[in-house]
Amino acid sequence: NTVEACDFVIFGTKGDLARRKLLPSLYQLERAGLIHADTRIIGVARNQMELKEYVGLVKENLQEFMSEKLDAAVWKTFSAKLDYLCVDMKDHAGYAVFKEHVDADRTMVCYLATPHSIYGDICKGLHQAGVIDPSMRVVLEKPIGHDLASSKVINEQVATYFKENQIYRIDHYLGKETVLNLIALRFANSIFATNWDHNCIDHVQISVAESVGIEGRWGYFDEAGQMRDMVQNHLLQILSLIAMEPPTTLDADAIRDEKLKVLKALRPINSSNVSEKTVRGQYSTGFVRGQEVPGYLEEPDANQKSETESFVALKVELDNWRWAGVPFYLRTGKRMPTKVSEIVIYFKSQPHNLFKDSFSKLPPNKLTIRLQPDEAVEVTVMNKVPGLTGSSSMNLQKTKLDLSFSETFSDERIADAYEKLLLEVMLGNQALFVRRDEIEQAWTWVDGIIDAWNNSNEPPEAYQAGTWGPVASIALLARDERAWYESK
Ligand code: BG6
């Protein structure tokens, strides 16, 4: 695939997402020579602004949110591509400006970096302006809705004007190098491919921990909570890639068909089993990396009575042939001791222990996939400690086969997830984007849990900021005689 010239329109160009992620990612793509010379990047916001002012703003953004210095030559070609349109996104008549501004010969890509409540307005406005054609692509940020019903409404509004093959629903975890590598690890390596089921795997742990709190997003976060903000999308997408059957090809629909089957196999959690399968927590004041931080209810603008969860732990089961009897334990939270995302696959123990002198119980082999930071793949294996001991008294030790991305691929820069996803949109490849049926299936399952929580009248359990969540999260695994692995 080659990147064609496009009109890349960012609705909400002054918002946090555009400033922190989209503009820096586009700049990096420019730097890598991956943006077509004739492409234009058109920012859209409500404020009247001269192009010169917008260009200045973008420059400031890049300087603020990129760890490296702006390269003068790259900035020159990048800034020449910038354009700005002032549009009140709720006023459909205002979209007429697009007719004069966009070039009918170029593919138009519209990135909706706005609240989902105006996705419908934007699509309708573009339609009324007469600029929608079959080549146009629309990119939707998460969250798409608040529950199944509201996500259907939004999906329907967008579907009124765009076909599914024009809609790119972003889940930025699908652009992370190590998440994509799950497909390579599983399907390019027979040692994993042939051991990837209930015969060989005991259980799976997925942890996505963040040390940050709400970061001034109280209004949004308190409405959402960790379940909607992280589990409904990122964690379920990771789980789907781990659990899916081999797709017939790497085509978008081949992969998405398989992910959907996983989501359909999720065993429902409802009032009858919610207390046994889920834990929700809310952080209280504590210390993160030696710094005292306020509790969730003490954050600026907090509603003191909020019962929104900032931590979730789940025991997830899949009702299908491959994964029968293999639990997937998921946990994700804010204000954890550190930022780390890891997948740990625990293999079954050996049927008989020949090494009782060293280990009363042989530790299981583990495959750890570290998504961030320090991207890595590690396999824990038992190894003989070298020495003059014979076979009768072998001394064993747990060791690691360790593939660190930064060491192994030291010449490659690890691109931000958004860089990869924006490039995929420009290439017109939907494989790394979430299809409508996946989103709706994920909501169906998540809604069951949230309803059960709401019906239980039990508030989330408090956990001190800087810890790994409430005690009940440890108990969730302890009941199955298991424990959360300790991150390094
Ligand atoms: C976003 C959530 O989707 O993902 C945020 O809305 C969260 O609350 C973020 O902080 C985490 O992303 P990453 O890439 O930093 O792990």
Side-chain angles (χ1 to χ4, degrees):
N1 286 11
T2 48
V3 192
E4 305 160 4
C6 63
D7 279 328
F8 194 101
V9 187
I10 306 176
F11 288 89
T13 188
K14 291 183 77 188
D16 225 37
L17 177 73
R19 283 158 26 88
R20 283 175 190 272
K21 294 289 183 187
L22 307 184
L23 290 163
S25 297
L26 289 167
Y27 169 89
Q28 290 295 352
L29 291 176
E30 173 75 20
R31 191 178 140 101
L34 291 167
I35 299 193
H36 193 285
D38 295 334
T39 286
R40 288 190 318 159
I41 297 164
I42 308 174
V44 175
R46 253 191 325 194
N47 322 61
Q48 279 292 354
M49 217 183 331
E50 292 297 321
L51 177 58
K52 216 167 119 206
E53 197 184 333
Y54 178 63
V55 172
L57 263 183
V58 172
K59 190 170 190 183
E60 277 170 31
N61 280 184
L62 296 180
Q63 281 161 337
E64 187 176 349
F65 294 112
M66 288 195 332
S67 49
E68 67 205 47
K69 273 199 164 158
L70 273 192
D71 177 293
V74 179
W75 170 246
K76 193 166 171 223
T77 52
F78 182 73
S79 55
K81 295 189 166 76
L82 293 173
D83 201 350
Y84 178 76
L85 285 181
C86 160
V87 178
D88 174 353
M89 289 175 256
K90 289 188 184 159
D91 171 18
H92 303 148
Y95 286 75
V97 286
F98 281 97
K99 195 76 189 164
E100 305 127 41
H101 247 82
V102 297
D103 185 331
D105 291 337
R106 278 196 287 256
T107 304
M108 189 170 168
V109 174
C110 290
Y111 198 118
L112 312 196
T114 65
H116 58 221
S117 52
I118 61 168
Y119 287 177
D121 285 316
I122 298 176
C123 296
K124 190 168 179 186
L126 291 167
H127 167 73
Q128 288 192 355
V131 290
I132 299 184
D133 70 23
S135 73
M136 186 166 166
R137 297 168 201 156
V138 60
V139 189
L140 309 181
E141 245 315 312
K142 70 156 262 272
I144 297 183
H146 187 72
D147 53 16
L148 177 62
S150 54
S151 87
K152 277 188 168 171
V153 170
I154 296 168
N155 279 326
E156 210 45 57
Q157 286 169 343
V158 179
T160 311
Y161 307 104
F162 294 95
K163 295 215 161 55
E164 184 63 29
N165 68 5
Q166 296 177 278
I167 306 172
Y168 292 69
R169 296 181 193 80
I170 290 251
D171 182 312
H172 78 276
Y173 268 60
L174 291 180
K176 288 190 190 274
E177 199 55 63
T178 34
V179 173
L180 285 177
N181 192 39
L182 281 170
I183 299 180
L185 269 185
R186 284 194 57 195
F187 304 120
N189 296 290
S190 62
I191 55 164
F192 298 129
T194 53
N195 289 321
W196 208 260
D197 64 11
H198 65 97
N199 289 310
C200 300
I201 293 178
D202 179 74
H203 73 282
V204 177
Q205 299 188 10
I206 305 174
S207 299
V208 178
E210 292 181 86
S211 54
V212 293
I214 300 312
E215 293 194 297
R217 295 195 304 159
W218 224 87
Y220 157 74
F221 188 85
D222 199 55
E223 279 282 302
Q226 197 71 357
M227 188 71 174
R228 294 186 176 96
D229 188 46
M230 297 293 289
V231 179
Q232 191 272 346
N233 33 75
H234 307 324
L235 276 91
L236 287 184
Q237 283 295 323
I238 296 174
L239 184 147
S240 303
L241 288 174
I242 299 171
M244 72 180 183
E245 294 300 314
T248 43
T249 64
L250 292 179
D251 288 350
D253 278 334
I255 295 179
R256 300 188 300 180
D257 286 347
E258 297 307 333
K259 285 196 290 161
L260 178 66
K261 286 185 207 156
V262 175
L263 295 168
K264 285 187 173 168
L266 291 169
R267 185 175 301 169
I269 297 179
N270 49 38
S271 294
S272 68
N273 55 4
V274 74
S275 56
E276 184 196 320
K277 311 264 188 211
T278 74
V279 175
R280 54 182 179 144
Q282 191 185 68
Y283 61 85
S284 57
T285 313
F287 288 84
V288 176
R289 295 205 197 97
Q291 283 261 328
E292 186 165 18
V293 296
Y296 183 74
L297 300 180
E298 283 92 48
E299 294 278 4
D301 304 325
N303 156 14
Q304 312 280 309
K305 294 209 175 83
S306 168
E307 292 193 346
T308 296
E309 77 288 349
S310 58
F311 173 93
V312 180
L314 303 169
K315 176 178 176 181
V316 180
E317 287 145 301
L318 291 172
D319 286 322
N320 65 17
W321 199 275
R322 184 183 285 268
W323 297 111
V326 182
F328 285 68
Y329 300 99
L330 272 46
R331 69 176 162 171
T332 176
K334 308 275 184 224
R335 286 291 188 221
M336 311 261 94
T338 183
K339 179 172 174 79
V340 61
S341 302
E342 282 172 321
I343 301 164
V344 187
I345 317 270
Y346 281 75
F347 289 88
K348 287 197 165 153
S349 303
Q350 293 290 49
H352 176 64
N353 183 2
L354 287 176
F355 308 93
K356 289 208 178 68
D357 291 348
S358 295
F359 281 91
S360 58
K361 199 171 172 230
L362 281 174
N365 292 131
K366 277 188 297 183
L367 166 65
T368 303
I369 298 158
R370 189 169 322 112
L371 310 184
Q372 55 191 18
D374 309 329
E375 293 82 350
V377 178
E378 294 171 358
V379 184
T380 316
V381 293
M382 298 305 291
N383 212 65
K384 178 184 171 300
V385 179
L388 289 173
T389 49
S391 64
S392 59
S393 55
M394 241 192 260
N395 192 7
L396 297 195
Q397 191 178 303
K398 212 160 57 166
T399 43
K400 273 183 190 161
L401 305 176
D402 185 351
L403 183 156
S404 145
F405 277 44
S406 61
E407 283 168 23
T408 312
F409 307 108
S410 53
D411 294 342
E412 305 285 334
R413 171 180 164 270
I414 297 194
D416 184 83
Y418 276 94
E419 290 172 38
K420 199 167 320 195
L421 295 175
L422 296 187
L423 180 61
E424 291 293 303
V425 177
M426 290 193 244
L427 289 167
N429 181 3
Q430 285 189 303
L432 304 183
F433 299 86
V434 188
R435 211 167 56 189
R436 174 174 179 171
D437 47 8
E438 288 180 80
I439 299 257
E440 295 185 356
Q441 191 63 41
W443 274 124
T444 305
W445 187 76
V446 160
D447 280 358
I449 301 177
I450 295 177
D451 288 349
W453 282 343
N454 291 342
N455 294 337
S456 79
N457 283 328
E458 276 190 35
E461 215 179 299
Y463 62 96
Q464 230 184 351
T467 66
W468 288 99
V471 192
S473 161
I474 299 170
L476 180 78
L477 273 72
R479 282 199 289 279
D480 298 341
E481 296 181 24
R482 296 185 177 111
W484 291 109
Y485 74 95
E486 280 180 31
S487 193
K488 71 162 195 176

